[in-house]
Amino acid sequence: MKKLAILLVLTAFCTTGCVQMHLDTTIEKDGSGLMTLEYAMSPTVAEAFAELAEMPGSGDDKAPTMDDFSKEKIEKACKRHDCKLKKFEKTDTSVKLAVAFPKLENVSKVLADAAAGPGGDGGGMALFKTAEGNYTIGTFQYEAEVDEAEVEVAADEGGDEEMNPEDMQKSMAIMGKLMGAIGELDVSMKITVPGEI
């Protein structure tokens, strides 16, 4: 269930559809830049995620909700990775943010820290210099940094309880709603770089 939820979040942002994402990154000559992110979901998808989060046994694999996007958490992650949160707007079904970064990998670490649960990890983008002296954008794995207090809270919450058949049926019905929304994903990712490509 966690992989499906992550797939929906990472591939779901833009301007139309049930789940939308716009990710726009501008990189300057010195490697610094600005990343803007717009994430939105229809009320139906938001409701389905909230219902899944309440299901017994969801634990760390619970689907993300808008409550998972915290300005305070993102600001802490920005401070850890030498970035600056320039914009943060949130409603019940959407989030818009802009983060200025000194290096591309820093903003990827901010997103990993802000999105991951205790002990989570994630991937990101970084600039790498090739043997010919050119630069390429590639991916890297990053183990998210989390506060010890967050780890303790997650441990206290448990989430190991078994689902009864009725709850399993309800969970499958909710997943059916989410699977129906996959056909309406609207994704846009843009990276602007200086110089020739």
Side-chain angles (χ1 to χ4, degrees), residues 21-80:
M21 181 180 97
H22 264 169
L23 182 62
D24 191 348
T25 306
T26 301
I27 303 171
E28 304 298 336
K29 284 186 178 182
D30 64 357
S32 67
L34 182 73
M35 185 226 52
T36 59
L37 174 69
E38 293 183 26
Y39 171 71
M41 61 178 70
S42 72
T44 303
V45 171
E47 182 182 312
F49 278 176
E51 286 178 39
L52 274 179
E54 297 299 318
M55 295 298 296
S58 61
D60 290 340
D61 292 341
K62 74 179 185 71
T65 66
M66 283 299 159
D67 292 339
D68 295 323
F69 290 92
S70 157
K71 183 176 183 180
E72 180 184 7
K73 195 173 183 181
I74 293 171
E75 284 176 331
K76 283 182 182 178
C78 282
K79 188 174 182 181
R80 271 196 295 267

Side-chain angles (χ1 to χ4, degrees), residues 5-183:
I6 290 170
L7 172 68
L8 286 170
V9 170
L10 293 179
T11 60
F13 292 100
C14 187
T15 54
T16 63
C18 278
V19 186
Q20 311 159 353
M21 181 180 97
H22 264 169
L23 182 62
D24 191 348
T25 306
T26 301
I27 303 171
E28 304 298 336
K29 284 186 178 182
D30 64 357
S32 67
L34 182 73
M35 185 226 52
T36 59
L37 174 69
E38 293 183 26
Y39 171 71
M41 61 178 70
S42 72
T44 303
V45 171
E47 182 182 312
F49 278 176
E51 286 178 39
L52 274 179
E54 297 299 318
M55 295 298 296
S58 61
D60 290 340
D61 292 341
K62 74 179 185 71
T65 66
M66 283 299 159
D67 292 339
D68 295 323
F69 290 92
S70 157
K71 183 176 183 180
E72 180 184 7
K73 195 173 183 181
I74 293 171
E75 284 176 331
K76 283 182 182 178
C78 282
K79 188 174 182 181
R80 271 196 295 267
H81 300 293
D82 197 25
C83 294
K84 184 168 176 94
L85 183 62
K86 296 287 202 174
K87 176 182 183 178
F88 183 91
E89 297 173 5
K90 180 178 160 185
T91 70
D92 290 343
T93 57
S94 68
V95 171
K96 294 180 182 179
L97 59 93
V99 177
F101 56 87
K103 295 191 302 186
L104 185 59
E105 66 190 71
N106 290 49
V107 75
S108 292
K109 290 177 180 180
V110 166
L111 293 177
D113 283 5
D121 59 15
M125 296 183 297
L127 285 176
F128 298 96
K129 195 168 188 175
T130 65
E132 298 82 28
N134 297 316
Y135 286 90
T136 183
I137 296 174
T139 60
F140 70 98
Q141 276 302 113
Y142 169 70
E143 187 173 324
E145 296 177 28
V146 293
D147 295 335
E148 290 300 317
E150 291 176 8
V151 175
E152 288 176 19
V153 167
D156 291 343
E157 288 175 357
D160 292 333
E161 55 191 299
E162 293 281 326
M163 272 194 198
N164 64 41
E166 188 178 305
D167 286 338
M168 285 184 94
Q169 204 169 24
K170 185 177 178 184
S171 178
M172 293 304 287
I174 295 168
M175 292 302 289
K177 282 187 206 174
L178 292 175
M179 294 301 286
I182 286 178

